[in-house]
Amino acid sequence: MTEMNMCRTVSLFEYVAEEMISQEKYFCELDSGLGDGDHGVTISRGFRAAQQILQQPQETLEKLFQNVGSAMMSSMGGAIGPIYALLFQGFAQAVAGKEKIDLSAAADMFEKGASEVSIGADVQEGQKTMFDALAPAVRVLKQSAKEGKSLSEGFLAARKAAERGAEDTVDMMAKKGRARFLREKSIGHKDAGAASMAALFVSVSDFLVREEERSENRNEEN
């Protein structure tokens, strides 16, 4: 698959939402080690709100991401709500005027989203946050786009980078959020935000690989 139109993009994020909601218990278990154990509930709440937007007709890709971000902001609350709103705000800015998303556009989306998160949340790599999964995945997406890879190839590589980034948070001392008060005691726990961000990349990758396989099967049948 080289690009996605509005219909395919909506299908992608519907799949992402379902997958993120399905991992509510896992995210809560991770968060219980450093926070108050409700990260999964918050993530589920946000993606259920996103599902409502995805079921409604949208004029443009820009509007789609603006509306998803706003819905997540209003439904999630806490610190993570504004972060996901910033992420989707970045997506919207990156696709302004576009009708389709190829790997280059997707890389721009995540790069702009990451920039909005970094500035808006005052966060950077190495602080044991979701940014430790997001930033390396963005770098891989940008490189994959330069190399002319397909959407599925690019997100498969980004998925691996995000998962490695999330795993790396185990050895980090938290410097942001409530977990920073634990100081050295925060070492040895995977950050729930990084884990859920990695899960987002995993679900995007799974969807794209599945769609590519379906397309290949249809071509073989014809």
Side-chain angles (χ1 to χ4, degrees):
M1 184 190 305
T2 58
E3 60 184 16
M4 299 183 296
N5 58 15
M6 171 69 82
C7 182
R8 191 62 62 83
T9 301
V10 168
S11 295
L12 164 63
F13 280 94
E14 286 177 335
Y15 179 85
V16 170
E18 290 176 1
E19 289 299 302
M20 296 295 281
I21 292 169
S22 73
Q23 297 182 72
E24 177 179 323
K25 182 179 179 181
Y26 169 61
F27 297 149
C28 283
E29 289 173 349
L30 283 178
D31 192 39
S32 65
L34 296 175
D36 48 18
D38 67 347
H39 183 70
V41 173
T42 305
I43 287 291
S44 291
R45 189 182 301 127
F47 278 96
R48 285 195 177 93
Q51 285 178 322
Q52 297 299 313
I53 299 299
L54 293 166
Q55 292 170 6
Q56 303 169 14
Q58 302 293 326
E59 296 178 2
T60 64
L61 289 169
E62 181 182 12
K63 278 290 186 182
L64 170 68
F65 292 128
Q66 285 176 345
N67 292 337
V68 167
S70 295
M72 297 184 84
M73 171 74 170
S74 61
S75 63
M76 295 172 83
I80 198 69
I83 288 175
Y84 269 87
L86 288 167
L87 182 68
F88 278 86
Q89 177 181 306
F91 289 177
Q93 293 173 7
V95 300
K98 296 182 182 295
E99 295 183 356
K100 295 182 179 181
I101 298 173
D102 58 11
L103 184 59
S104 179
D108 289 344
M109 282 169 51
F110 277 90
E111 181 179 45
K112 184 60 178 175
S115 177
E116 291 293 314
V117 169
S118 179
I119 295 171
D122 188 25
V123 66
Q124 59 188 12
E125 285 180 86
Q127 296 179 322
K128 203 180 183 86
T129 72
M130 56 91 79
F131 204 72
D132 290 300
L134 176 59
V138 169
R139 287 195 294 271
V140 169
L141 277 180
K142 295 294 290 184
Q143 182 61 37
S144 295
K146 289 180 181 178
E147 295 172 358
K149 292 183 178 179
S150 68
L151 276 165
S152 62
E153 290 171 335
F155 273 95
L156 180 58
R159 160 194 186 153
K160 294 176 181 178
E163 289 181 310
R164 285 195 300 270
E167 193 62 36
D168 286 345
T169 65
V170 173
D171 297 324
M172 295 179 185
M173 184 172 72
K175 298 178 181 178
K176 300 289 289 187
R178 186 174 300 177
R180 73 184 186 277
F181 297 113
L182 296 175
R183 298 183 63 79
E184 289 82 3
K185 291 182 180 180
S186 65
I187 298 173
H189 298 273
K190 181 185 291 189
D191 179 69
S196 60
M197 179 54 63
L200 187 151
F201 278 95
V202 169
S203 58
V204 172
S205 174
D206 284 347
F207 175 87
L208 293 172
V209 169
R210 184 191 69 179
E211 290 299 295
E212 193 164 271
E213 290 175 348
R214 286 179 175 177
S215 178
E216 291 174 355
N217 290 336
R218 285 194 296 268
N219 290 336
E220 290 176 0
E221 291 172 357
N222 295 331

